[in-house]
Amino acid sequence: MSFYDLLAGEIVTELLRQLNAISRKSCFCKSSAENLIASIQELLPIIEELNYSGVELTDFRQYQLNRFSETLRGGLELARKVLDSGRWNVYTNLQLVRKMEKFQKQVERFISGPLQAHMLADVHHMRSETMERFDRLEQRLDSMNAGPGTTGRQGMEVEDDSNLGIFVGIGLELGKNKVKKMLIERDYLSVVGIWGIGGSGKTTLANEICRDNQVRSYFNNRILFLTVSQSPDLEQLRANIWGFITGNEGRTPTNNIFVPQGMSQFERGTGTGTRTLVVLDDVWSLPVLEQLIFKVPTYKTLVISRCRFPKKVVNEVYEVELLREDESMSLFCHSAFRQNSIPPTANATLVKQIVNECKGLPLALKVIGASLQDQPELYWINARKRLSRGELICESHENKLLDRMAISVECLKKKVRECFLDLGSFPEDKKIPLDVIVNMWVEIHNIDEEEAFSILMELSDKNLLTLVKDARAGDGFCSYYEIFVTQHDVLRDLAIHLSNHGDVNDRKRLLMPRRETELPREWRKNTDLPFNAQIVSVHTGEIREMDWFPMQFPKVEVLILNFSADEYFLPPFIDNMPKLRALIVINHGTTEATLQNFSVFTNLVNLRSLWLEKVTVPQLSNATVPLRNLQKLSIVLCKVSNSLDPSVLDLPQIFPHLSELTIDHCEDLIKLPLSICKVNSLRSMSITNCHQLCELPADLGMLKKLRILRLYASPELKMLPPGIGELVWLRYLDISLCINLKCLPVEIGKLTSLEKIDMRDCLQIMNLPMPAALSNLKSLHRVICDEEIFYQWRKVEKAVPGLCVEVAEKWYSLDWLTG
């Protein structure tokens, strides 16, 4: 049986049927099943195109396809086992979830890997054209001179940071096809956008779309390409667009054309009916964009920008994807070696390492590749080291890459710009917990959490960072530690570059990118004077007491310690930080690190926020020096059994003003210390993903000020204490994925301030207390639950006006299984 026959025949038909059944019936495997359905449906047209192309496959490729056929057969057997598995057999279900995820990854690797690229390349005969298109595209780009506010009719203007000679490969072809469909096949979309990070090839993609024969035919060759820029001449741009739409292209603003602000004859639907496309490149401002859009039938606008605009203005957006591994290598080699692959004489490992530092960004690949052309190997080795530390490798690296990327930052308001620069404090290729960022910004910039979150959203909309959200995050009770931030390495390098201007003792941020065992020499040479930084970030490998040297930090408010080690000696200079308000200690190693020199906490009288991640928390006792001003304590992926000994620990004495406590993924936590119930200042307590937590203190009701209680993913927790009914100010209760929780206590009906309950995937709760017992929940507005308990909550709706009960969306995460 051929591979195409396999996909078109009974095997795949049956597999898709089984996966659809899983997505409807299995709460554990819904996510994997839906992703597999999408992946297989994506694969079908590719194989169909291959089948009709007449391309003869090599023996090796046929072998790869046959192996994938076996994978699909195995997936069918797995799907049948999932459907046969009982809902209550939690252990078996979790094993099947992992197998489904493994199967999903195998399918996705086949689709997204080099095999697909080779297949499509054969189908479209692209290999023989690649170099020719490289040269043709670069010639076109070199002949252009796009400046701020320039315009062109049916010509292609290119923003500075996209003047790349980008690799015209599979990724660009797929992106072009998606945008073409928006423009040609979806008449109801009047404004379409291309959105992406600076240097990602947005304008190059737009140029390819405008040159496409199908697009030009659809719009009757009526395509106007305008570069808007940050300081546009709006009157001239509006006149050019209006003249192009109406056919009065000979007129210019100097002819005293009046472009109407209100309704026109075209806006009333009496236009000529000729299809027209106007491309607005390099748009930075929503008010500017709104001035350049006309409501004219048969007229469409394609907007290219680094900023995300609301859907009411830009109806649909294609987000430019960064280059894949093979495309990145081709573009880099073209810039560095003037060929599409690594030459035999080059150090292949070194080349791959440098390409990896560029993280698929076309502009970085182009600039860095060109700067290394014809350089000796030692120069390349030094460049790799400097790139890994976020440092410049040459003048063109600064002028042609970082300075162009800096345009995105220069237009920000001062406070937002400062917040962006703070992100250089974190290591590359790591997810940054939003809680860490928000705490830092609150302490440094004198703002509240709501404003900090708004700044984060602005940076995300301008493509200066990426939000990685929990599927449930976003409402008023979402926890910031459920949301992560990532940032492209080039943007991180930009933040470090902009922060490192000026004398080292006078910098606002003292940033040390990844090094192994020693602090920067520049710091050592300047220890005779105090350092005036507000933020200090140190990133090391294993470090010992003798590796530190004396430093004075009279103004530091935030200290970030990133390291990868089994043991870590806390820096003695913490004693010389009298204004320290936020301390973040994050171990990026594989096991929990033992902290030495914990006595430095003695003088941290102003510390308000402490984040400990993947460390063994030192033992706390009544002799521990109180952190009297500590308000937020976050303990993530840590060993805590020795530190939270219930018999000797008096938490109110150690943390007398603690208001937020987060303990997440601490797998050795079995019981909470009884004294936690006496921390009267506690307003939010999140004990999540702690797999061994088996009970809560009976006196939990003593926490009279508690507003938020999260117990998410505590699989060993079997009951809630009756004392929970005494939490009179509790507004939010999250018990989702407490898969062995037997019931809700009757006392929950006393929570008159409770506004929301999240109890999705509480598999053992089959009955609620009687509706009469829950009738006092007058503040309850929202309940999220499973279908099995949904109709019982609907009965409560009659007694609680305004209550909205909803079945949990199709969502499942295995984060709670991994420590």
Side-chain angles (χ1 to χ4, degrees), residues 422 439-446 508 534-535 557-558:
D422 294 340
N439 290 346
M440 177 173 67
W441 287 350
V442 166
E443 302 299 342
I444 288 290
H445 302 297
N446 194 29
K508 184 174 181 178
Q534 286 182 282
I535 299 176
E557 297 179 44
V558 175

Side-chain angles (χ1 to χ4, degrees), residues 779-797:
S779 298
L780 190 62
H781 298 314
R782 190 179 179 199
V783 173
I784 304 175
C785 62
D786 297 324
E787 191 171 358
E788 289 79 0
I789 203 77
F790 171 73
Y791 292 100
Q792 294 192 44
W793 274 111
R794 290 298 300 269
K795 296 177 183 178
V796 180
E797 282 183 329

Side-chain angles (χ1 to χ4, degrees), residues 415-416 419 441 447 451-460:
K415 186 176 291 185
V416 179
C419 288
W441 287 350
I447 57 179
E451 185 177 357
F453 191 79
S454 296
I455 290 174
L456 178 108
M457 294 304 298
E458 180 175 347
L459 291 173
S460 175

Side-chain angles (χ1 to χ4, degrees), residues 727-739:
L727 301 177
V728 294
W729 292 107
L730 191 68
R731 298 172 58 198
Y732 176 54
L733 175 64
D734 183 358
I735 54 173
S736 56
L737 265 172
C738 291
I739 57 178

